[in-house]
Amino acid sequence: MKLVFATNNPNKLQEVQKMLPPSIQLLSLKDIDCFDEIEETAITLEGNAKLKANHITDKFGYNCFADDTGLEVETLNNEPGVYSARYAGEPANAENNMNKLLTNMSDASNRKAQFRTSICLNLDGKQFLFDGVCKGDILTHKKGEKGFGYDPIFSPEGYDTSFAEMSSEQKNKISHRGLAIQKLVSFLSEL
Ligand code: IMP
């Protein structure tokens, strides 16, 4: 079976392909000649994942899955959430996003937050949703050089390090996206 992963990130694609049975061949957006700017205009992560997966299925006819991730901070009423990529405005910039979050939380004693990933799978006319959550704390300053996005200021529950101090293997085992992908892979492996 050919299955499109609505991403242009070759590392993400390869990582998921390695977890799938060989009978499932993953294709990237580039592989199907899709260069569209798919709008992420929904107000929930699930909504954006659905928009992306539906765009591919409707326009290109493929079975497809898409993901969307947000950082939900308890003391900020779960902001930036679905707006995590654009928190400090356009163009998306991880440094500015982190600085804005640290400033908005400068007086906050409650540092609890969670990353949440939602995956929407369109398969043979049916739609399935999978989610993954990673709870933790927002640090008071940046730590570590690895990863991307908010990794330097997020420390997962049970660890003294930030995500940016972990190897990608270590992070994938416990991360929101890793957990959501594991659920998707178990589902696909049982078909
Ligand atoms: P996306 O849905 O994977 O594009 O993620 C949306 C935004 O959330 C990104 O632009 C990042 O700022 C942030 N983000 C997503 N996943 C992670 C992560 O694993 N670590 C840190 N930031 C992340």
Side-chain angles (χ1 to χ4, degrees):
M1 188 216 332
K2 287 187 195 306
L3 180 64
V4 173
F5 181 3
T7 181
N8 280 316
N9 182 332
N11 298 321
K12 273 194 191 178
L13 196 83
Q14 205 182 29
E15 193 185 302
V16 181
Q17 179 71 73
K18 274 196 250 162
M19 296 163 78
L20 286 171
S23 54
I24 300 177
Q25 186 197 350
L26 276 194
L27 303 173
S28 69
L29 292 176
K30 198 166 144 233
D31 291 332
I32 60 163
D33 286 331
C34 173
F35 302 100
D36 302 346
E37 270 291 322
I38 307 172
E39 290 211 29
E40 299 187 25
T41 49
I43 55 165
T44 61
L45 299 172
E46 292 77 8
N48 276 338
K50 279 185 195 177
L51 276 181
K52 288 187 265 185
N54 288 348
H55 180 89
I56 301 306
T57 304
D58 295 347
K59 185 166 170 188
F60 296 85
Y62 280 101
N63 285 329
C64 172
F65 69 91
D67 67 341
D68 199 31
T69 295
L71 176 60
E72 301 172 335
V73 179
E74 195 171 277
T75 194
L76 299 178
N77 296 319
N78 291 334
E79 283 184 7
V82 72
Y83 305 108
S84 295
R86 299 156 274 163
Y87 190 43
E90 303 278 7
N93 176 317
E95 278 304 309
N96 293 346
N97 286 341
M98 282 191 287
N99 291 339
K100 178 168 177 183
L101 188 58
L102 289 178
T103 303
N104 286 350
M105 293 185 70
S106 56
D107 295 332
S109 52
N110 174 6
R111 316 285 307 179
K112 281 187 201 156
Q114 63 180 27
F115 275 110
R116 201 159 66 80
T117 294
S118 179
I119 293 179
C120 173
L121 168 69
N122 284 344
L123 185 73
D124 300 335
K126 294 202 189 99
Q127 193 156 69
F128 304 89
L129 291 173
F130 306 88
D131 77 335
V133 169
C134 181
K135 289 181 186 292
D137 287 301
I138 302 298
L139 301 171
T140 50
H141 57 275
K142 297 168 198 158
K143 275 203 317 179
E145 306 291 329
K146 301 190 186 82
F148 68 99
Y150 296 87
D151 278 350
I153 59 168
F154 183 83
S155 178
E157 214 166 70
Y159 293 80
D160 292 329
T161 57
S162 76
F163 261 167
E165 294 174 304
M166 294 182 164
S167 66
S168 57
E169 289 78 20
Q170 229 182 343
K171 180 184 162 190
N172 287 341
K173 275 189 203 144
I174 60 163
S175 83
H176 41 293
R177 196 173 12 262
L179 297 174
I181 294 279
Q182 280 168 31
K183 288 184 192 170
L184 171 79
V185 167
S186 317
F187 176 84
L188 290 171
S189 303
E190 281 166 22
L191 288 176

